Amino acid sequence: MPFNFTKFDPNKQGWEDAEFPIVCETCLGDNPYMRMTKETHGKECKICTRPFTVFRWMPGSGMRFKKTEICQTCAKMKNVCQTCVLDLEYGKCLPVQVRDAALDIKDSTPNLAINKQYQAQNMDGKFEAGQSMIDYGRADSAGRETLRKLARNAPYYRRNRAHICSFYLKGECTRGDECPYRHEVPDNELSNQNIKDRYQGNNDPVAAKLMTKGRGGSTNLTPPEDKNITTLFLTGVEEDVTEDDVRDYFYAFGEIKSVIMVHKSRCAFVNFASRSAAEAAADKASFDPVRIKDHLIRVAWGRPRPVGPKGETAKNKAAGTGTQAMGPPPPPGSEAAANIKYPSQDPTMQGAVQ
Amino acid sequence: MPKIRTQRTKRPPEGFEEIEPMLEEFAKKMRDVENEPHEGKRIVQSLWPVFRLHHQRSRYIYDLYYKRQAISKDVYDYCLKQGYADANLIAKWKKPGYEKLCCLRCIQPKDTNFGTTCICRVPRAKLEEDRVVECVHCGCRGCSSGD
């Protein structure tokens, strides 16, 4: 009798039996008419190795079938999607490591296998529907800002594609055209990912890439080819950052020819007298994050555009003044017609991108 | 156990000797296919030639009787009884829309997750991808009557 009580087995009663998966929108795919299979106790959770309900669906035509990989308890503990183990709140594609670093959440999940199972078993009862362990309100609002900026805007369906054909990598794929796996060469750095590492927030290559990208602009602030550019383009310039603040910060690198502030679009231009001064400033910016009046300023190279007095006034005032300054367009056929007819033809007037 | 001739079994009917060499060839091919090595193939792929030959053999007898009327009803019934042709498969071929059905597994909804038929039953016009489809049951590349 003791070994076989399937319905009354106390261990089995604790096993998960869910009705619907906790899954992010990107994993679900673009098709609103999707069919999903459900298998109670189909597989064991990749993190806590307890049996859980496996849901399997196709996230759009041409994609591989996705299924839930971790159990609902583990997903709720970190508030992540059951399939991709990425954060559920912030738009798309935020790894656990990035979110925890920004919101400063300490990892309290145990590492040893048996402890994981124990904690999962105990936590199971405590979660009510829709609740998660991560308290987003308590976190620092600056952290939330950074997360919002780091998250993607549109769903990233490329990660739902089929896996890479391992036979193809060895040159042995005999299936040829009908092979459902991808015949491509993988990007080496990001391909050795481990679900346990990603879940706990250690050692995640995607998170590392995202964090270096978010920190004060790109790490490789390479000088542009055109040697005449001596302008740095600053973003994140808030209302209270004045021209003097900017000058104070950047005068150390060399003589500043001019500083143009555009508070309306939260940006500024620092025009150096010499190219070497500009490069020195850019180098400094790529090593330490630039902070003016306690705001994080992103630094990038300016576009090759003469920032003359005409451009200054156009940028400082609203774009409407630029159009008012033009008279009626000259009649066609005259010389002036070949030149600029409308303000938008002159890139300096309205800040058009070259 | 059919196909074993002893002194007790009835003699095959009149026209059977004419088709017998062809049936003998099918039997030989089937034995070859059964003994093929499995190296480099998927697990399901080893079974595909078996289904293909079965279809071909049944098709041969179906054509002889229904299309060309080259054998008598007695010979046809004898073939079905002895297991040279699949009566159930031929029954499907008589229905509109199933004239080129590959095998009986592909129309069995209990074999699929969502109770549908196999992908080889989808006409190529509707498939919209021009990707090559080899169905997992019998390796069929499209058996709808339109294709």
Side-chain angles (χ1 to χ4, degrees):
Chain A
M1 200 275 264
F3 280 131
N4 204 5
F5 36 95
T6 32
K7 278 206 177 166
F8 312 118
D9 187 352
N11 263 342
K12 194 161 194 224
Q13 278 176 336
W15 286 359
E16 174 189 303
D17 192 356
E19 295 251 322
F20 196 79
I22 300 178
V23 151
C24 67
E25 280 174 20
T26 331
C27 285
L28 281 178
D30 52 358
N31 186 3
Y33 300 106
M34 175 252 299
R35 303 183 291 200
M36 198 186 265
T37 58
K38 169 179 158 185
E39 195 183 351
T40 29
H41 315 318
K43 295 221 182 292
E44 58 177 31
C45 167
K46 295 247 164 62
I47 309 288
C48 64
T49 67
R50 287 152 72 236
F52 73 108
T53 314
V54 173
F55 294 91
R56 191 171 175 263
W57 68 94
M58 190 157 88
S61 57
M63 306 295 182
R64 68 171 197 269
F65 273 85
K66 289 192 107 168
K67 66 185 203 298
T68 47
E69 309 281 350
I70 61 180
C71 66
Q72 301 223 331
T73 319
C74 289
K76 282 186 206 160
M77 281 204 287
K78 296 269 189 176
N79 199 24
V80 289
C81 165
Q82 271 189 283
T83 317
C84 60
V85 197
L86 296 177
D87 189 69
L88 285 172
E89 291 281 322
Y90 289 99
K92 340 279 169 189
C93 301
L94 275 188
V96 173
Q97 191 173 2
V98 172
R99 188 212 44 211
D100 286 354
L103 300 182
D104 212 14
I105 297 170
K106 292 293 173 251
D107 175 30
S108 63
T109 53
N111 275 341
L112 274 185
I114 191 67
N115 287 345
K116 272 192 264 194
Q117 289 194 28
Y118 179 71
Q119 188 194 34
Q121 209 170 350
N122 289 351
M123 285 302 198
D124 224 352
K126 295 197 191 148
F127 285 129
E128 288 155 15
Q131 227 185 36
S132 77
M133 257 188 74
I134 311 270
D135 187 358
Y136 285 93
R138 190 168 53 97
D140 186 15
S141 81
R144 277 184 282 166
E145 266 298 307
T146 23
L147 284 188
R148 255 202 312 113
K149 277 186 251 166
L150 284 178
R152 287 181 200 263
N153 296 324
Y156 182 61
Y157 291 127
R158 279 188 60 200
R159 65 165 193 249
N160 295 343
R161 290 176 305 170
H163 290 136
I164 307 259
C165 180
S166 63
F167 290 97
Y168 175 76
L169 290 182
K170 290 188 275 181
E172 290 171 359
C173 184
T174 50
R175 292 176 77 171
D177 262 348
E178 67 108 3
C179 185
Y181 303 105
R182 267 185 297 151
H183 284 183
E184 286 168 14
V185 184
D187 168 23
N188 262 324
E189 219 181 66
L190 296 179
S191 41
N192 38 346
Q193 295 185 22
N194 181 357
I195 199 171
K196 291 211 177 114
D197 281 344
R198 286 179 52 220
Y199 177 80
Q200 287 175 340
N202 318 327
N203 203 4
D204 179 5
V206 178
K209 194 163 165 210
L210 207 50
M211 288 198 290
T212 51
K213 186 165 68 120
R215 262 227 291 105
S218 52
T219 45
N220 43 348
L221 213 44
T222 47
E225 297 88 45
D226 188 355
K227 287 295 173 192
N228 291 329
I229 299 178
T230 60
T231 320
L232 292 182
F233 176 64
L234 315 180
T235 43
V237 179
E238 307 281 340
E239 306 291 320
D240 50 348
V241 178
T242 65
E243 187 178 319
D244 284 336
D245 292 329
V246 174
R247 273 189 196 274
D248 285 341
Y249 191 93
F250 284 103
Y251 85 97
F253 302 104
E255 191 183 325
I256 300 178
K257 198 156 73 172
S258 60
V259 169
I260 291 99
M261 309 291 295
V262 192
H263 282 122
K264 212 165 158 294
S265 50
R266 295 254 176 89
C267 62
F269 292 85
V270 182
N271 206 347
F272 284 96
S274 70
R275 166 73 175 202
S276 50
E279 284 182 1
D283 279 340
K284 173 82 189 319
S286 61
F287 281 121
D288 305 317
V290 175
R291 275 194 178 278
I292 301 181
K293 279 250 175 71
D294 209 28
H295 292 294
L296 194 62
I297 310 277
R298 278 193 348 144
V299 177
W301 280 100
R303 299 273 169 64
R305 211 169 46 206
V307 184
K310 193 180 194 184
E312 240 180 278
T313 43
K315 282 200 214 82
N316 275 341
K317 300 186 191 160
T321 50
T323 41
Q324 282 174 21
M326 291 288 300
S334 63
E335 272 184 13
N339 283 335
I340 298 170
K341 278 194 236 174
Y342 301 103
S344 55
Q345 282 182 334
D346 174 7
T348 65
M349 294 217 72
Q350 284 184 322
V353 175
Q354 177 124 6
Chain B
M1 304 287 262
K3 293 196 204 172
I4 298 198
R5 311 266 185 87
T6 63
Q7 283 191 340
R8 290 196 62 189
T9 58
K10 288 189 219 71
R11 297 200 61 232
E14 285 302 312
F16 187 71
E17 287 80 29
E18 290 167 7
I19 60 173
E20 196 167 356
M22 194 65 188
L23 293 177
E24 191 54 37
E25 267 202 44
F26 275 122
K28 239 186 276 178
K29 277 195 213 149
M30 191 63 103
R31 257 176 275 143
D32 289 339
V33 151
E34 284 168 14
N35 292 328
E36 262 176 20
H38 63 273
E39 314 309 325
K41 288 195 204 156
R42 299 152 60 189
I43 290 182
V44 288
Q45 199 175 346
S46 317
L47 292 177
W48 293 350
V50 176
F51 279 98
R52 195 188 151 107
L53 267 174
H54 179 81
H55 175 111
Q56 279 177 350
R57 194 167 48 186
S58 299
R59 192 99 217 170
Y60 174 66
I61 295 178
Y62 170 81
D63 278 347
L64 282 178
Y65 184 62
Y66 283 102
K67 305 288 184 206
R68 295 174 7 197
Q69 276 100 29
I71 55 179
S72 66
K73 187 171 189 316
D74 288 335
V75 176
Y76 175 66
D77 286 341
Y78 180 75
C79 288
L80 289 183
K81 252 204 157 152
Q82 295 294 312
Y84 289 110
D86 187 349
N88 290 322
L89 186 55
I90 292 180
K92 291 287 181 280
W93 285 339
K94 294 190 217 162
K95 293 188 189 219
Y98 293 88
E99 284 91 357
K100 298 193 196 161
L101 181 62
C102 57
C103 63
L104 291 167
R105 285 175 80 184
C106 291
I107 46 173
Q108 180 65 271
K110 295 203 176 71
D111 277 356
T112 51
N113 268 334
F114 298 108
T116 57
T117 49
C118 181
I119 192 158
C120 63
R121 291 298 296 160
V122 178
R124 216 157 295 166
K126 295 278 180 190
L127 210 42
E128 247 181 47
E129 276 154 11
D130 59 45
R131 71 154 191 238
V132 189
V133 176
E134 276 187 325
C135 91
V136 72
H137 299 299
C138 55
C140 168
R141 291 209 173 94
C143 51
S144 59
S145 300
D147 287 342

